[in-house]
Amino acid sequence: MYQNYTTMETALTLQLDFTIPEDHEARLISRFVDSIPAEFLLEDTSHTGRPAFHPAMLLKMCLFAYSRSTFSGRTIERMNDESIPMKWLTGDTSVTYKTINTFRSSEHAKRLIKYAFVLFTSLLKENGLLQEEALFIDGTKLQADANIYSFTWKKAIDRYESKLNDNVEALYETIIQSEVDICLSKEQLDTSEGIETLIEAIDTSLEAVEESIQEETQIPKGGSKHKRRRRLLNKHRNKCVKDYLPRKQSYEEARATFDGRNSYSKTDKDATFMCMKEDPMKNRELKPGYNLQVASSNQYVIAYDIFSNPTDTRTLLPFLSAISTLDLFKYIVADAGYGSEENYESIIDDYEKIPLIPYGMYNAEQKKKYKQDPKRRENWSYDEIEDTYTDLDGVRFSFTHYSTRVDKQGYTRQFKVYTADKEQMDDRLNTLAKTPKGNQRQTSVNYNWEYFKHQAKAHLESDYGKRIYAQRKIDVETVFGRMKGVFGMRRVHVRGNQAVHNDIGLMLMSMNLTKLILELRRKGGHPSTSSEKGKKNNEGHLKPTVFIVLFLLRTGFFPAP
């Protein structure tokens, strides 16, 4: 007896049609991506070989997968085989994980994501969903997809390279004493090209030594001095080729990789070691990561960017310069970590915006202890006519000279220096006018910084400033809470600056779309998916398609950036 066997040629093939509800996230994602103009969506491809997958389909796949907290390329591929909404988006097209990973790490995907945020911001502006023309900015750290012990520190490279330079200089002196014809400066020896020149000089000497050895007719008593010289030169050459030159090249490569940073990861060289907020041991362990900066309005992400610098103060200006829709907003709102003279000056003078950003000592200045501190110059009396300060003890400070200071980033600050008079009212004040080392006390005043602090304080203490700044934690902090708590993205899933930028952009855009569909459902109710109840259009049970059409299905709705 045999088992029943039926060939597939005689089997009846059934093709089942599948669909999804009208208020499903997949429909919103599909219509949003379809709204992107073809000139931005498509790019020139090869006219030979197998046709490429349509970028709209790949973008829809990634957005829907990220909205389901699915970040692995293999898992997205399996999701495409098993999930009905994903099949609906791809038209039941089989896509491999390599294609997905290649697309979401590409330059084309980066341009698409950037333009998608411009379109989405235009959508929010058109329908009045922006928060009082205020742009809320904040940052958070995301751990990189890298080994936490794969660090390379700039200080260690400086220390090791300094020892290597000393060894190369000592070897150079030894080679000179060996009568090798070469002349290099210290600056040349401190480079890999200098070590290569040193090796070439040794090779030239070795060739001459080999010729001398060939000319010897008999071995002299005590051994050949040319062979001893050859052994010595080969020893020096091997030291340069096998040790000094590879180490020097690795140090130079590391310096080029640093690019102004203090560290990087060998696994992901674009990641910098930072202190993460998720620190269970609370020992400030440094981990490789990226500094994510987000600009939001009404809890929608308007723009984002990633930086290798962990300090928020230095990321604000490059972040603002990258926001294409900055003209839609009047107020720039951020916490005290962004308050600096350079940031205030650029926001007010260059961008012509109103900064609602407190400076570092803003909260401390409101306390009684600060206002009664005799060491604070703000509590001293000032004579505008004589341009002098008098502290609470009665010591008089007169203007003496100007001072200019330039920080590491090249920003220039101007100070007026006031020095305590050598002749005070009495001997007690003469003693108080001196430092413990016997020098006259000094105080410096940056009036440009004082002006911007006064402007920031006036805006923050106004009625509109208090009302808008109070929304900062509710607005932008909620974005980070949803991203890490709801969607589970506490670390990135790809490596490299461009790939990480796209990875975070897909996550934030999917968050925007899921938030929008939730608002549509709240406005339109939750109609049943059955055929009978789905036909109802009672008050409080409006069809979600009405709102989706209102928001997304407008031909030519989105303007070009």
Side-chain angles (χ1 to χ4, degrees):
M1 181 180 291
Y2 295 95
Q3 294 182 4
N4 184 29
Y5 172 70
T6 304
T7 61
M8 295 303 297
E9 294 182 359
T10 60
L12 178 62
T13 302
L14 297 178
Q15 184 174 1
L16 301 178
D17 186 20
F18 49 85
T19 185
I20 56 177
E22 288 293 331
D23 62 344
H24 199 276
E25 291 89 338
R27 291 188 180 273
L28 183 65
I29 292 173
S30 177
R31 289 165 179 168
F32 175 73
V33 175
D34 290 339
S35 299
I36 300 178
E39 57 266 24
F40 296 97
L41 188 62
L42 305 178
E43 63 176 358
D44 293 334
T45 58
S46 176
H47 298 285
T48 61
R50 182 180 179 182
F53 288 102
H54 201 285
M57 183 190 71
L58 297 175
L59 183 58
K60 293 176 184 178
M61 287 183 65
C62 293
L63 288 174
F64 181 74
Y66 276 65
S67 69
R68 292 294 187 266
S69 301
T70 303
F71 311 112
S72 170
R74 294 180 184 271
T75 308
I76 296 175
E77 178 186 2
R78 185 168 61 251
M79 187 179 185
N80 186 35
D81 296 333
E82 300 173 354
S83 174
I84 291 180
M86 182 69 84
K87 285 178 174 290
W88 184 85
L89 286 172
T90 61
D92 200 15
T93 303
S94 179
V95 183
T96 64
Y97 72 94
K98 291 185 178 180
T99 302
I100 297 172
N101 291 339
T102 302
F103 169 76
R104 65 176 177 174
S105 301
S106 64
E107 178 67 26
H108 182 47
K110 183 177 181 180
R111 294 194 299 268
L112 281 180
I113 294 171
K114 181 178 181 180
Y115 188 70
F117 275 95
V118 176
L119 298 183
F120 194 82
T121 304
S122 302
L123 168 70
L124 298 178
K125 178 65 176 178
E126 182 72 15
N127 294 275
L129 294 177
L130 298 181
Q131 180 67 30
E132 298 186 19
E133 298 182 347
L135 189 65
F136 300 90
I137 297 177
D138 203 355
T140 188
K141 309 295 190 303
L142 288 180
Q143 187 175 344
D145 183 24
N147 192 320
I148 62 175
Y149 300 112
S150 60
F151 40 74
T152 300
W153 303 101
K154 185 177 181 180
K155 289 185 177 179
I157 295 297
D158 293 339
R159 183 170 65 253
Y160 296 146
E161 190 173 16
S162 177
K163 293 181 180 179
L164 176 61
N165 292 337
D166 294 340
N167 294 336
V168 172
E169 292 176 12
L171 179 62
Y172 174 73
E173 296 296 334
T174 303
I175 293 175
I176 292 297
Q177 294 175 3
S178 300
E179 298 180 356
V180 176
D181 187 14
I182 185 174
C183 181
L184 295 175
S185 62
K186 185 179 183 303
E187 291 76 12
Q188 292 174 320
L189 284 176
D190 291 344
T191 62
S192 60
E193 290 79 6
I195 299 178
E196 291 175 351
T197 304
L198 192 61
I199 295 173
E200 293 176 358
I202 296 176
D203 290 339
T204 303
S205 299
L206 282 173
E207 292 177 359
V209 170
E210 289 292 345
E211 293 178 358
S212 300
I213 293 175
Q214 295 296 330
E215 293 176 357
E216 291 182 346
T217 58
Q218 60 181 1
I219 300 176
K221 185 177 180 180
S224 173
K225 66 176 182 179
H226 298 295
K227 291 183 179 180
R228 290 196 297 269
R229 176 177 171 80
R230 182 178 62 181
R231 287 194 297 268
L232 181 62
L233 292 178
N234 279 327
K235 179 182 176 181
H236 296 331
R237 184 182 187 280
N238 291 335
K239 192 67 175 177
C240 291
V241 173
K242 298 180 180 180
D243 185 12
Y244 292 165
L245 182 59
R247 286 169 56 192
K248 190 65 178 181
Q249 290 175 343
S250 66
Y251 295 154
E252 291 178 348
E253 182 182 356
R255 288 191 175 278
T257 306
F258 283 128
D259 192 22
R261 299 177 293 169
N262 294 324
S263 63
Y264 70 86
S265 171
K266 295 185 181 73
T267 313
D268 182 1
K269 294 186 177 181
D270 290 332
T272 308
F273 280 79
M274 310 175 183
C275 290
M276 300 294 171
K277 292 183 177 179
E278 294 81 5
D279 188 7
M281 300 300 293
K282 296 183 179 179
N283 57 0
R284 291 181 61 82
E285 181 183 7
L286 299 177
K287 297 180 180 179
Y290 294 88
N291 186 357
L292 170 62
Q293 297 293 312
V294 168
S296 68
S297 182
N298 198 20
Q299 299 181 8
Y300 289 103
V301 179
I302 303 302
Y304 77 99
D305 206 348
I306 57 173
F307 297 90
S308 58
N309 179 21
T311 306
D312 290 339
T313 307
R314 292 167 51 190
T315 61
L316 181 60
L317 295 184
F319 182 41
L320 291 178
S321 63
I323 301 178
S324 304
T325 55
L326 190 62
D327 294 337
L328 300 178
F329 303 94
K330 181 179 179 182
Y331 304 98
I332 305 297
V333 188
D335 59 20
Y338 297 87
S340 68
E341 179 184 352
E342 183 179 9
N343 291 344
Y344 286 144
E345 183 177 10
S346 182
I347 293 174
I348 295 175
D349 296 341
D350 299 337
Y351 293 101
E352 298 181 352
K353 307 295 181 183
I354 298 177
L356 295 179
I357 306 174
Y359 45 91
M361 296 296 296
Y362 175 76
N363 293 326
E365 290 179 357
Q366 315 302 321
K367 299 180 180 180
K368 182 178 180 181
K369 181 180 178 180
Y370 184 93
K371 296 179 180 179
Q372 295 179 352
D373 190 351
K375 297 181 180 180
R376 299 292 181 181
R377 177 181 44 78
E378 292 79 1
N379 300 327
W380 299 356
S381 60
Y382 176 68
D383 188 343
E384 296 183 1
I385 299 177
E386 297 185 2
D387 194 12
T388 59
Y389 281 94
T390 305
D391 66 6
L392 299 184
D393 293 326
V395 179
R396 176 188 172 99
F397 292 78
S398 300
F399 168 71
T400 54
H401 62 280
Y402 289 96
S403 175
T404 301
R405 303 175 190 174
V406 182
D407 59 16
K408 295 180 180 180
Q409 288 71 45
Y411 184 72
T412 303
R413 294 177 173 86
Q414 301 291 338
F415 292 86
K416 292 185 67 174
V417 181
Y418 294 82
T419 306
D421 297 342
K422 294 183 178 180
E423 297 295 334
Q424 300 289 336
M425 299 295 294
D426 51 39
D427 294 337
R428 182 184 67 87
L429 295 179
N430 288 334
T431 303
L432 294 175
K434 297 182 180 298
T435 63
K437 294 184 178 180
N439 301 321
Q440 294 298 120
R441 291 166 54 192
Q442 288 185 345
T443 182
S444 301
V445 184
N446 184 349
Y447 283 103
N448 190 53
W449 173 229
E450 296 296 329
Y451 167 77
F452 287 120
K453 287 201 301 183
H454 176 75
Q455 292 289 325
K457 187 175 181 180
H459 290 307
L460 289 169
E461 295 180 353
S462 62
D463 293 337
Y464 66 87
K466 292 179 180 179
R467 185 182 69 257
I468 296 176
Y469 189 76
Q471 298 294 321
R472 188 193 66 81
K473 293 182 179 180
I474 303 174
D475 200 290
V476 68
E477 295 290 354
T478 304
V479 174
F480 297 140
R482 292 183 65 222
M483 181 179 66
K484 295 184 178 182
V486 178
F487 290 88
M489 187 175 186
R490 296 178 176 270
R491 60 180 299 167
V492 298
H493 311 92
V494 289
R495 296 175 182 176
N497 199 337
Q498 179 173 287
V500 170
H501 191 278
N502 296 349
D503 184 46
I504 297 176
L506 291 170
M507 179 76 267
L508 296 177
M509 179 51 66
S510 64
M511 288 170 52
N512 284 343
L513 295 173
T514 52
K515 176 177 170 56
L516 181 59
I517 195 64
L518 289 176
E519 290 193 4
L520 297 177
R521 287 173 179 172
R522 282 196 298 267
K523 293 181 180 180
H526 300 277
S528 173
T529 57
S530 64
S531 58
E532 295 181 359
K533 294 183 179 180
K535 297 179 181 179
K536 294 183 180 180
N537 191 17
N538 299 330
E539 184 178 1
H541 288 80
L542 300 177
K543 291 183 178 180
T545 52
V546 175
F547 293 93
I548 294 177
V549 170
L550 175 64
F551 280 84
L552 297 175
L553 299 184
R554 298 182 180 179
T555 304
F557 169 78
F558 297 109

